Amino acid sequence: MSAGKRTAILISGRGSNMLSLLEAARAPGYPAQITLVLSNRPDAAGLARARETGIATCALDHKAFPDREAFEQAMDAALVEAGIELVCLAGFMRVLTPWFVRRWEGRMINIHPSLLPLFRGTRTHEQALEAGMRVHGCTVHFVVSELDAGPIIAQACVPVHPDDDPAALAARVLVEEHRVYPQALAEVASGRAVLHEGRCVFRDA
Ligand SMILES: Nc1nc2c(c(=O)[nH]1)N[C@@H](CN(C=O)c1ccc(C(=O)N[C@@H](CCC(=O)O)C(=O)O)cc1)CN2
Ligand SMILES: NCC(=O)N[C@@H]1O[C@H](COP(=O)([O-])[O-])[C@@H](O)[C@H]1O
């Protein structure tokens, strides 16, 4: 049995979704193997958490590069050097240029803390509360150049409670992120979910 698709996780912060993906990938037969954690922030707390697990890490400070393209070329080189086949964005807070997206389109997914296409961008939990939503949630999608607009692979819903503040709602959504992201990665890594003609298509693997 193959060891699974060589997968990199890109982070900018604490890395809780990274940890849930790492844990899921330890299961026998899981179709992806996490072989690299890369961050645009050398001080990202998730890097230290990744190193504790023994996984290879790479810190590329985006501010050390003259422009976005130079940073992305270095990131791409690190991924290619590591033999990466799939990329998971997990709290990676850089908008990727069309150049990088074209390099990885169909092999790069992201988790977003809202039920897309509702509430793209940032402050998603505040937006949901301001809109008076009774349900909220998270979305795993293929990454395309347009921000948070890629074809949806999986979603999970949570109830919005009357006394919710953004932090309470975020915490409830995060539990579902940790459940649905590993499921979505398995769908993509196994070939069951594919990006085809701008849509997410489910095939018998
Ligand atoms: N081309 C794409 N790039 C990225 C996507 C995408 O769908 N297409 N998803 C995002 C993740 N994301 C929300 O899910 C997101 C990340 C970053 C930003 C943003 O405004 N970043 C700023 C810098 C912010 C910072 O450094 O703190 C920027 O890049 O200038 C918005 C949404 C990942 N990239
Ligand atoms: N626009 C991207 C975005 O907002 N992503 C969100 O950042 C958090 C990262 O947490 P983590 O580092 O603990 O996984 C997660 O809630 C993820 O959905």
Side-chain angles (χ1 to χ4, degrees), residues 100-119:
F100 189 90
V101 173
R102 273 195 303 273
R103 293 271 298 162
W104 295 94
E105 198 157 26
R107 302 184 290 157
M108 179 163 58
I109 62 178
N110 178 51
I111 186 141
H112 180 78
S114 79
L115 293 173
L116 292 173
L118 291 174
F119 314 134

Side-chain angles (χ1 to χ4, degrees), residues 131-179:
M133 295 295 291
R134 294 291 175 254
V135 293
H136 186 39
C138 58
T139 301
V140 182
H141 62 93
F142 285 106
V143 175
V144 298
S145 290
E146 185 184 355
L147 202 56
D148 307 330
I152 293 170
I153 302 163
Q155 294 185 301
C157 280
V158 299
V160 179
H161 296 165
D163 60 347
D164 269 339
D165 61 16
L169 187 52
R172 194 172 310 121
V173 170
L174 195 61
V175 170
E176 289 304 305
E177 292 183 40
H178 294 167
R179 181 182 63 80

Side-chain angles (χ1 to χ4, degrees), residues 29-98:
Y30 190 79
Q33 54 174 322
I34 313 300
T35 56
L36 180 67
V37 171
L38 185 152
S39 181
N40 66 299
R41 297 180 58 107
D43 62 346
L47 280 177
R49 299 170 89 176
R51 292 183 187 118
E52 287 167 7
T53 71
I55 194 165
T57 61
C58 175
L60 287 175
D61 185 348
H62 67 272
K63 297 191 295 293
F65 293 85
D67 54 39
R68 209 174 282 259
E69 288 71 18
F71 163 66
E72 291 183 353
Q73 284 168 10
M75 193 162 55
D76 182 68
L79 296 172
V80 171
E81 172 69 24
I84 296 303
E85 300 171 272
L86 289 176
V87 175
C88 291
L89 308 182
F92 183 72
M93 300 308 284
R94 299 298 294 172
V95 177
L96 296 164
T97 69

